[in-house]
């Protein structure tokens, strides 16, 4: 039976992490009540960890409502098959008291019943598939659901932040924390 070599990425603690990552890790642990394992792995690159936390923090301040932001995030996370990100943001949707069908549809990459949120999902997919070069029809459809040109650019910010996160988590083979076990996701489930 083939075995996979152990990852070269270290599960850093506050004591073992590069000095530039420690403050970021402490802040994350205070905010969540625990230090997520993926953060311990990303801590090896303080600039990446800092960049992701800054970008995701900026995304949280956009004019997109919280559910629309989670639609962007889970669309990127499922597309990039980041089990950690899908679990973490499934938990966030639960904390937002999101409809269970919305969460299931996002995890399974199915159309959303809510037309306005479906417009965000489709626009996110279009931006990803066309590397930003969306046609006027896709943009008009997004705008017709009450979104603005600003929102379209905010979707790009979310895609950027969570593309960074999903790729880094997959590269480091970030493990799923036990706190997220109830929200576990596997690519084959999509």
């Amino acid at each position: 039976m083939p075995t996979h070599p152990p990852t070269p990425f270290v599960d850093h603690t506050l004591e073992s992490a590069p000095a530039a990552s420690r403050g970021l890790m402490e802040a994350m642990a205070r905010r969540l009540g625990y230090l997520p394992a993926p953060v311990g792995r990303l801590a090896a690159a303080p600039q990446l960890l800092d960049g992701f936390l800054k970008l995701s923090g900026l995304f949280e301040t956009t004019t997109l409502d919280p559910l629309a932001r989670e639609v962007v995030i889970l669309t990127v996370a499922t597309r990039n098959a980041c089990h950690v990100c899908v679990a973490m943001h499934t938990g966030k949707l639960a904390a937002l008291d999101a409809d269970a069908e919305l969460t299931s549809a996002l995890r399974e990459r199915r159309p959303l019943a809510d037309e306005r949120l479906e417009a965000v999902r489709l626009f996110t997919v279009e931006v990803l598939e066309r590397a930003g070069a969306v046609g006027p029809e896709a943009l008009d459809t997004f705008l017709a659901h009450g979104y603005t040109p600003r929102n379209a650019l905010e979707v790009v910010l979310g895609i950027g932040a969570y593309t960074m996160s999903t790729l880094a988590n997959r590269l480091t083979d970030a493990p799923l924390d036990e706190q997220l076990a109830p929200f576990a996701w596997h690519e084959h489930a999509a």
Side-chain angles (χ1 to χ4, degrees):
M1 200 171 195
T3 60
H4 297 285
T7 181
F9 297 98
V10 174
D11 292 317
H12 281 292
T13 64
L14 290 172
E15 294 75 32
S16 70
S21 290
R22 291 179 190 155
L24 301 166
M25 294 169 74
E26 287 171 349
M28 180 67 73
R30 274 193 306 275
R31 188 167 64 87
L32 297 177
Y34 72 101
L35 182 64
V39 172
R41 293 209 176 163
L42 299 185
Q47 293 81 1
L48 179 116
L49 180 58
D50 187 36
F52 168 68
L53 293 174
K54 284 179 179 171
L55 284 176
S56 63
L58 286 170
F59 186 56
E60 291 296 314
T61 68
T62 64
T63 60
L64 289 168
D65 66 79
L67 286 179
R69 289 193 304 266
E70 292 303 313
V71 167
V72 173
I73 295 166
L74 276 168
T75 300
V76 173
T78 56
R79 180 181 189 268
N80 292 344
C82 179
H83 72 285
V84 169
C85 299
V86 173
M88 187 170 288
H89 289 278
T90 297
K92 188 152 185 190
L93 281 169
L96 291 170
D97 292 324
D99 181 72
E101 175 54 29
L102 169 68
T103 303
S104 293
L106 285 166
R107 288 169 58 100
E108 296 167 14
R109 300 172 76 179
R110 290 187 283 111
L112 308 179
D114 182 307
E115 289 182 16
R116 194 158 192 273
L117 293 176
E118 176 64 359
V120 174
R121 188 186 74 80
L122 290 174
F123 185 71
T124 302
V125 168
E126 186 76 5
V127 171
L128 286 163
E129 288 180 357
R130 299 189 45 83
V134 300
E137 186 178 313
L139 183 58
D140 289 347
T141 300
F142 180 70
L143 298 175
H145 283 85
Y147 294 105
T148 65
R150 177 180 178 168
N151 295 144
L153 292 170
E154 291 170 342
V155 167
V156 172
L157 174 62
I159 289 170
Y162 286 91
T163 296
M164 179 189 307
S165 172
T166 59
L167 298 182
N169 285 329
R170 291 199 60 185
L171 175 67
T172 64
D173 196 22
L176 189 66
D177 293 299
E178 66 181 53
Q179 293 87 337
L180 298 175
F183 309 114
W185 176 87
H186 302 283
E187 185 175 9
H188 68 275

